Amino acid sequence: MEFSAKQIAEYIQGIIVGDENATVHTFAKIEEGMPGAISFLSNPKYTHYIYDTQATIVLVNKDFVPEQEVKATLIKVDNAYESLAKLLTLYEMSKPKKTGIDPLAYIAPTAKLGKDVYIAPFACVGDGAEIGDNTALHPHATVGSHAKVGNNCILYPHATIYHDCLVGNNCTLHAGCVIGADGFGFAPSPEGYEKIPQIGIAIIEDDVEIGANTCVDRATMGATIVHKGVKLDNLIQIAHNVEVGSHTVMASQVGIAGSTKVGEWCMFGGQVGLAGHIKIGDKVGIGAQAGVPGNVKSNEQILGTPAIDAKNFMKSSAVYKKLPEIYTTLNAMQKEIEELKKQLNK
């Protein structure tokens, strides 16, 4: 499919600088631009590429002022990155979607399937499970007994939803994602560790995307809940009875221990670790590799292990780099003081 600069500008409410009839049929990074491609510029570090790119159209922010001639047609928008996301979404939606049930899939007789579903070879839908309209299960995806998956969802290969768990509408579960595995509950005994049955469920609300090999454990009792609009990266662990507030995002390798409550609109960097039974407020930002042992109030930005105010951490880091010099100076001062004491005593 081809789109003209005029059509694109109308869709994203942009201003054209150049040929409104220029057409594109694919996307490309600005440094890898080619004729017939649309690219974007939002990071100032990549500005120099715009003067040499072969891309036909480039999205730029409205405040962009070229320092020399630009061959590409520009479309100026409020936010180039957001506008690109809109175009990519439109492009993805235009792709034809598979429907139908492959003969090699297993569908339990008591399962309920919505309209226009796609069930791929070796996918499995258990007893009493429900699959909503326009939902796709790719090869080896599994929906356990009495689990429910809403409309317009995608379960990529080997995504697994355990028995009785609930997934809302418009959710994407990437390859190897596991919803509802047992929480890590064991009671010590003289003979070893006795397993505590995990009889709760996991609930994933609408518009959630969960990355590859990420796990959301079922609750010991009640429910582990991932609220609406949450985005989880690959390789994240959400333990039993955790609650993640709506529109919170987490980068790879975050780990959250049991019964912790995370607020709305939070942002966690990679490898953040949260202790169990704590509460994180709304709109909290936690930097990469931070360790959080206790409660955090709303709107705080923290970093480090144990995590502290991000600005204080940066100041402390600057001092930490100078510790060897400070230590040497301190030893020298201590020796001078001892010499002075000896002289005074004499």
Side-chain angles (χ1 to χ4, degrees), residues 126-204:
D127 292 329
E130 297 182 19
I131 308 296
D133 298 343
N134 303 304
T135 286
L137 273 62
H138 289 270
H140 298 281
T142 299
V143 178
S145 59
H146 304 288
K148 294 182 181 180
V149 180
N151 302 327
N152 305 307
C153 293
I154 303 174
L155 275 62
Y156 282 104
H158 295 282
T160 301
I161 302 172
Y162 275 46
H163 60 90
D164 300 305
C165 293
L166 308 177
V167 175
N169 302 316
N170 308 310
C171 292
T172 300
L173 308 184
H174 287 278
C177 167
V178 178
I179 307 300
D182 280 359
F184 193 65
F186 297 91
S189 70
E191 291 77 27
Y193 290 90
E194 186 174 343
K195 183 177 177 64
I196 300 171
Q198 306 290 292
I199 63 173
I201 62 172
I203 299 173
I204 310 297

Side-chain angles (χ1 to χ4, degrees), residues 70-125:
V70 177
K71 296 178 182 178
T73 293
L74 303 181
I75 300 180
K76 292 191 170 186
V77 292
D78 291 329
N79 187 310
Y81 192 70
E82 287 184 4
S83 295
L84 178 75
K86 290 180 181 179
L87 293 177
L88 287 170
T89 301
L90 178 65
Y91 175 77
E92 190 69 17
M93 290 173 61
S94 69
K95 290 182 179 179
K97 292 184 178 180
K98 292 183 178 180
T99 57
I101 301 171
D102 192 276
L104 294 176
Y106 173 75
I107 310 295
T110 55
K112 297 179 181 179
L113 303 183
K115 298 176 182 178
D116 299 320
V117 298
Y118 171 60
I119 313 294
F122 307 110
C124 177
V125 182

Side-chain angles (χ1 to χ4, degrees), residues 14-269:
I15 300 170
I16 299 172
V17 179
D19 182 8
E20 68 175 17
N21 296 314
T23 59
V24 294
H25 61 271
T26 189
F27 293 84
K29 294 188 291 185
I30 193 167
E31 65 270 31
E32 298 173 359
M34 64 188 79
I38 183 170
S39 186
F40 77 105
L41 173 66
S42 63
N43 189 330
K45 292 181 180 179
Y46 291 82
T47 300
H48 63 281
Y49 287 113
I50 200 169
Y51 304 112
D52 300 317
T53 187
Q54 297 299 306
T56 301
I57 298 174
V58 180
L59 305 178
V60 297
N61 294 333
K62 285 183 177 177
D63 60 1
F64 172 71
V65 179
E67 297 178 353
Q68 53 184 285
E69 182 184 0
V70 177
K71 296 178 182 178
T73 293
L74 303 181
I75 300 180
K76 292 191 170 186
V77 292
D78 291 329
N79 187 310
Y81 192 70
E82 287 184 4
S83 295
L84 178 75
K86 290 180 181 179
L87 293 177
L88 287 170
T89 301
L90 178 65
Y91 175 77
E92 190 69 17
M93 290 173 61
S94 69
K95 290 182 179 179
K97 292 184 178 180
K98 292 183 178 180
T99 57
I101 301 171
D102 192 276
L104 294 176
Y106 173 75
I107 310 295
T110 55
K112 297 179 181 179
L113 303 183
K115 298 176 182 178
D116 299 320
V117 298
Y118 171 60
I119 313 294
F122 307 110
C124 177
V125 182
D127 292 329
E130 297 182 19
I131 308 296
D133 298 343
N134 303 304
T135 286
L137 273 62
H138 289 270
H140 298 281
T142 299
V143 178
S145 59
H146 304 288
K148 294 182 181 180
V149 180
N151 302 327
N152 305 307
C153 293
I154 303 174
L155 275 62
Y156 282 104
H158 295 282
T160 301
I161 302 172
Y162 275 46
H163 60 90
D164 300 305
C165 293
L166 308 177
V167 175
N169 302 316
N170 308 310
C171 292
T172 300
L173 308 184
H174 287 278
C177 167
V178 178
I179 307 300
D182 280 359
F184 193 65
F186 297 91
S189 70
E191 291 77 27
Y193 290 90
E194 186 174 343
K195 183 177 177 64
I196 300 171
Q198 306 290 292
I199 63 173
I201 62 172
I203 299 173
I204 310 297
E205 293 187 345
D206 296 349
D207 305 313
V208 171
E209 182 157 350
I210 299 180
N213 295 319
T214 284
C215 298
V216 180
D217 290 349
R218 70 192 314 111
T220 307
M221 291 177 282
T224 303
I225 306 175
V226 176
H227 285 288
K228 182 177 180 178
V230 168
K231 313 298 180 187
L232 303 179
D233 199 358
N234 305 331
L235 297 167
I236 287 174
Q237 164 63 16
I238 307 294
H240 55 188
N241 293 95
V242 166
E243 185 173 352
V244 180
S246 59
H247 306 293
T248 283
V249 294
M250 301 182 191
S252 182
Q253 298 183 17
V254 167
I256 304 181
S259 299
T260 284
K261 310 299 180 187
V262 177
E264 301 178 348
W265 294 100
C266 294
M267 298 182 70
F268 294 177

Side-chain angles (χ1 to χ4, degrees), residues 328-338:
T328 301
T329 302
L330 185 62
N331 277 344
M333 291 174 62
Q334 190 172 9
K335 288 179 181 178
E336 289 179 9
I337 291 170
E338 292 299 327

